[in-house]
Amino acid sequence: MYLRRKIDDFLAEWKQNPMRKPLIVKGARQIGKTESILHFANENYSNIIYINFVLDKKYSNIVEDGYNVETIIKNISLTDPKIKFIPNETLIIFDEIQEYPDVATCLKAFREDGNYDVICSGSMLGINYKKIHSNSVGNKTDYEMFSMDFEEFLWAKGYSDEQISDILTHMVEMEPFSATEMSVYKSLFMDYCVLGGMPDVVKSYIQTGTFSDSLEIQKQIRMDYEEDVRKYAYGLDQTKILSVYRSVPSQLAKENKKFQFSKISKNARSREYTGCIEWLIDAGVVTECNCMFFPELPLKGNADDSKFKLYYPDTGLLISTLDEEAQEDLRANKNLGIYKGALYENFVAEAFVKQGLGLYYYKKDNSTLEEDFFVRSTNELIPVEVKSNNDKSKSLEVLIKNKNYSDISHGIKLADLNIGCANNVYTFPYFCAFMIKKYLKTWK
């Protein structure tokens, strides 16, 4: 069972480009990279060479004699004489290249040779990516992949592109959803929040129609992530890395979601953990939301490195960390309980990252003024508030009305509400979060 992914269209466009470079697909473990690449390969190439540097250690010396294409082909063929290289019909897939980053040095030679297409992939590419990038700069195309977003989940449930595009139409035209639309999409959204976007979890749900195996799969994925820390975290305190990773859910449950080292250990200091957090971000198992110095454009370069929030890049994995009673309540009753705000906020962060939007927030010192996220249109900074209740959005009102915040004229509120607009605040249901980037492109 293959689930349609957004990388499918990207790979098709890459194949059609006569000037295509070797491709590197980055992303965390178990998000479906290899499956998508092999699906594309089987549909587009008559000859596929697949080398996995974790499973096939025998290929770990293929660039030992040099980086030119002829030498590499010779060494691969010597290792396995059954492998055939057919010019203009062959796709070479180097998988798990974080185990053997030196292989990226050969990408320039493959690009200049032009007889073979090459795709590289790896579960922990971020950890060794600086070395990989330096070995192949200018001779590769990068693609960052994530677990399934809400749109891909809707595809898996059988919804068409036309039906999904209708959500954007509602947003652009400010047309409220019908009672049926709200009921259906809210139910699908809640299922997606509990499941997350890990393909194995979604497949189990699609095949069985239940959540019966989802928790066990999610727990195993988290265990695999922690095993990766023990395997790949060279020269760092692995215990501290795991402590940071495991503390994210409890940090998000706090009223003040700013990441606090004191919540890990009473005497913890930021300098002791900075490298650990960077490792987790590079590994793709947490995402960072930066605190802005001041709510103004531009976004980049306007962040205080000492203040940040951390999220899980897959809300389903976050939910799988909750206690058993909360798990049962969520799966049976869709009751988010005390974690409601944290889970919705994590979902929005996840949706923004998967759209290629940066994560930024603002908290004014010695003030109640605080905003969850910020995005931008061509000329405007837009605060985004995630509401777990129907209280007034006081911070949004202040940011919009106060002349000190000259880049801000409108705001967006994501809540358990239908589409609406009042006082320059556009309100959308939570499930619209995956369309925000496309929606902003319609702003003039």
Side-chain angles (χ1 to χ4, degrees):
M1 178 185 185
Y2 181 73
L3 300 178
R4 178 185 173 190
R5 304 297 303 275
K6 291 186 174 178
I7 193 176
D8 298 343
D9 292 337
F10 176 86
L11 290 172
E13 293 173 4
W14 174 79
K15 178 75 166 64
Q16 292 169 5
N17 183 357
M19 303 300 291
R20 61 186 172 274
K21 301 176 183 179
L23 175 65
I24 294 183
V25 179
K26 302 186 291 181
R29 174 194 282 272
Q30 298 188 45
I31 58 171
K33 299 183 300 299
T34 300
E35 183 179 26
S36 293
I37 292 168
L38 289 174
H39 176 79
F40 161 76
N42 288 323
E43 290 195 337
N44 290 275
Y45 292 86
S46 59
N47 190 47
I48 302 164
I49 298 169
Y50 176 76
I51 294 175
N52 184 309
F53 289 112
V54 169
L55 302 178
D56 301 315
K57 300 291 187 183
K58 60 187 178 183
Y59 293 106
S60 61
N61 61 351
I62 59 174
V63 298
E64 200 172 70
D65 302 317
Y67 299 105
N68 63 78
V69 173
E70 184 179 345
T71 300
I72 292 168
I73 288 175
K74 176 184 175 182
N75 285 339
I76 292 175
S77 299
L78 283 171
T79 304
D80 186 350
K82 296 190 297 295
I83 292 178
K84 305 299 180 186
F85 289 84
I86 306 171
N88 303 314
E89 296 180 20
T90 299
L91 173 64
I92 303 170
I93 302 170
F94 293 129
D95 203 0
E96 302 290 5
I97 66 168
Q98 78 282 349
E99 292 286 320
Y100 193 35
D102 202 32
V103 77
T105 308
C106 73
L107 298 184
K108 179 179 180 181
F110 274 104
R111 181 193 175 196
E112 292 175 346
D113 179 77
N115 286 314
Y116 309 99
D117 288 344
V118 178
I119 298 179
C120 300
S121 181
S123 297
M124 302 289 290
L125 265 183
I127 305 305
N128 285 319
Y129 194 66
K130 290 179 181 178
K131 181 176 181 180
I132 291 170
H133 179 72
S134 65
N135 288 348
S136 54
V137 62
N139 296 290
K140 62 178 174 57
T141 297
D142 291 323
Y143 183 90
E144 188 168 9
M145 191 173 174
F146 303 95
S147 64
M148 298 172 69
D149 67 7
F150 188 51
E151 184 170 12
E152 290 171 315
F153 178 76
L154 291 176
W155 288 340
K157 289 287 291 181
Y159 288 84
S160 67
D161 290 333
E162 290 74 21
Q163 289 171 307
I164 297 170
S165 294
D166 188 55
I167 295 175
L168 179 61
T169 301
H170 275 277
M171 296 171 69
V172 173
E173 298 180 359
M174 295 305 295
E175 177 187 348
F177 294 101
S178 69
T180 299
E181 288 171 325
M182 283 293 288
S183 176
V184 169
Y185 286 128
K186 281 174 64 176
S187 178
L188 288 164
F189 168 75
M190 286 303 305
D191 285 353
Y192 173 70
C193 278
V194 173
L195 291 163
M198 291 297 182
D200 285 349
V201 177
V202 177
K203 282 181 187 177
S204 174
Y205 165 77
I206 296 295
Q207 291 169 340
T208 65
T210 70
F211 298 104
S212 58
D213 297 323
S214 61
L215 181 56
E216 289 306 313
I217 299 172
Q218 289 165 334
K219 285 183 175 179
Q220 184 59 55
I221 291 171
R222 289 191 357 255
M223 288 173 61
D224 290 343
Y225 283 175
E226 294 195 4
E227 183 59 33
D228 283 339
V229 173
R230 300 181 181 95
K231 183 176 180 180
Y232 293 105
Y234 313 118
L236 289 171
D237 190 324
Q238 297 176 359
T239 302
K240 288 180 179 176
I241 295 176
L242 292 173
S243 295
V244 172
Y245 179 62
R246 292 168 182 168
S247 77
V248 171
S250 60
Q251 298 259 4
L252 289 176
K254 298 189 281 86
E255 180 83 20
N256 175 14
K257 296 177 177 61
K258 172 192 166 187
F259 193 86
Q260 296 174 315
F261 296 99
S262 60
K263 300 298 181 182
I264 301 175
S265 174
K266 186 176 180 180
N267 298 315
R269 298 291 181 268
S270 61
R271 63 178 179 273
E272 301 172 351
Y273 285 87
T274 300
C276 300
I277 292 172
E278 290 176 354
W279 192 96
L280 288 166
I281 293 169
D282 287 343
V285 297
V286 300
T287 53
E288 183 180 33
C289 182
N290 301 113
C291 183
M292 303 168 67
F293 287 115
F294 190 80
E296 64 183 358
L297 294 173
L299 286 169
K300 290 186 177 180
N302 182 18
D304 184 348
D305 293 339
S306 67
K307 299 176 183 177
F308 56 89
K309 296 184 285 188
L310 294 181
Y311 298 99
Y312 275 11
D314 187 274
T315 304
L317 292 185
L318 175 64
I319 288 176
S320 73
T321 67
L322 306 184
D323 58 68
E324 291 185 10
E325 290 76 17
Q327 291 284 343
E328 293 174 4
D329 201 15
L330 273 166
R331 284 168 166 75
N333 306 315
K334 306 297 190 299
N335 182 7
L336 299 184
I338 62 169
Y339 278 89
K340 182 183 290 185
L343 295 178
Y344 284 142
E345 194 173 313
N346 196 95
F347 169 77
V348 173
E350 173 188 351
F352 282 8
V353 168
K354 289 177 177 179
Q355 293 169 78
L357 297 170
L359 296 184
Y360 300 91
Y361 79 103
Y362 180 67
K363 174 71 171 73
K364 187 175 182 180
D365 292 336
N366 303 317
S367 169
T368 59
L369 182 61
E370 182 174 10
E371 205 52 75
D372 299 319
F373 300 104
F374 286 83
V375 292
R376 66 166 301 169
S377 63
T378 304
N379 301 308
E380 189 177 340
L381 180 66
I382 303 129
V384 179
E385 188 159 306
V386 184
K387 299 291 288 185
S388 59
N389 53 47
N390 293 331
D391 292 346
K392 290 187 67 175
S393 304
K394 295 179 181 179
S395 290
L396 270 182
E397 292 179 5
V398 170
L399 288 168
I400 292 169
K401 293 178 179 179
N402 194 316
K403 293 182 179 179
N404 290 328
Y405 310 112
S406 57
D407 289 334
I408 299 173
S409 301
H410 301 84
I412 292 174
K413 179 166 69 174
L414 295 165
D416 188 17
L417 297 169
N418 209 327
I419 290 177
C421 182
N423 302 318
N424 285 347
V425 176
Y426 298 93
T427 300
F428 300 107
Y430 299 118
F431 61 77
C432 291
F434 79 105
M435 280 288 189
I436 290 295
K437 186 173 184 178
K438 289 181 179 179
Y439 169 70
L440 291 175
K441 287 183 178 179
T442 68
W443 283 32
K444 304 299 182 184

